[in-house]
């Protein structure tokens, strides 16, 4: 797959993650952790998200300095670290 499309797909996944996180953190502070959205985020969204990017790192190998491209930093790298 073309690097451009990998980066665009990564930005889409990061945006989905951000939206899931925001939805999980809505509502009164005392009930946020017990909300369905928060439970879904912690049990499903977060592990799935981390698995995707763990695989990305493994595919690039130990010598790669960047997450989404082996040659140069991309907007997806900035976005990922912005969300972290």
């Amino acid at each position: 797959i073309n690097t451009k499309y990998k980066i665009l797909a990564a930005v889409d996944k990061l945006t989905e993650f951000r939206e899931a996180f925001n939805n999980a953190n809505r509502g009164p502070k005392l009930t946020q952790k017990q909300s369905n959205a928060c439970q879904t985020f912690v049990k499903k969204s977060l592990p799935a998200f981390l698995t995707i990017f763990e695989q990305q790192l493994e595919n690039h190998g130990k010598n790669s300095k960047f997450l989404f491209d082996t040659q140069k930093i991309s907007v997806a790298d900035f976005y990922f670290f912005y969300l972290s």
Side-chain angles (χ1 to χ4, degrees):
I1 296 177
N2 185 334
T3 301
K4 175 183 172 183
Y5 295 110
K6 286 182 186 178
I7 292 170
L8 290 173
V11 169
D12 286 344
K13 281 292 179 195
L14 290 165
T15 301
E16 289 174 22
F17 174 76
R18 185 194 68 208
E19 292 303 316
F21 178 79
N22 287 340
N23 287 336
N25 286 306
R26 289 197 177 133
K29 292 285 182 194
L30 296 175
T31 60
Q32 278 180 350
K33 291 181 181 177
Q34 296 147 353
S35 73
N36 287 338
C38 185
Q39 293 299 316
T40 299
F41 178 77
V42 170
K43 292 179 180 177
K44 293 181 182 178
S45 300
L46 183 59
F49 173 80
L50 293 175
T51 299
I52 290 169
F53 293 108
E54 180 181 21
Q55 290 170 350
Q56 185 74 20
L57 285 171
E58 289 172 358
N59 291 341
H60 281 285
K62 293 180 182 178
N63 295 330
S64 180
K65 296 178 183 177
F66 310 111
L67 186 57
F68 302 102
D69 188 352
T70 57
Q71 303 300 315
K72 59 185 176 179
I73 197 162
S74 71
V75 68
D77 290 292
F78 284 112
Y79 194 21
F80 179 77
F81 290 108
Y82 162 76
L83 292 175
S84 298

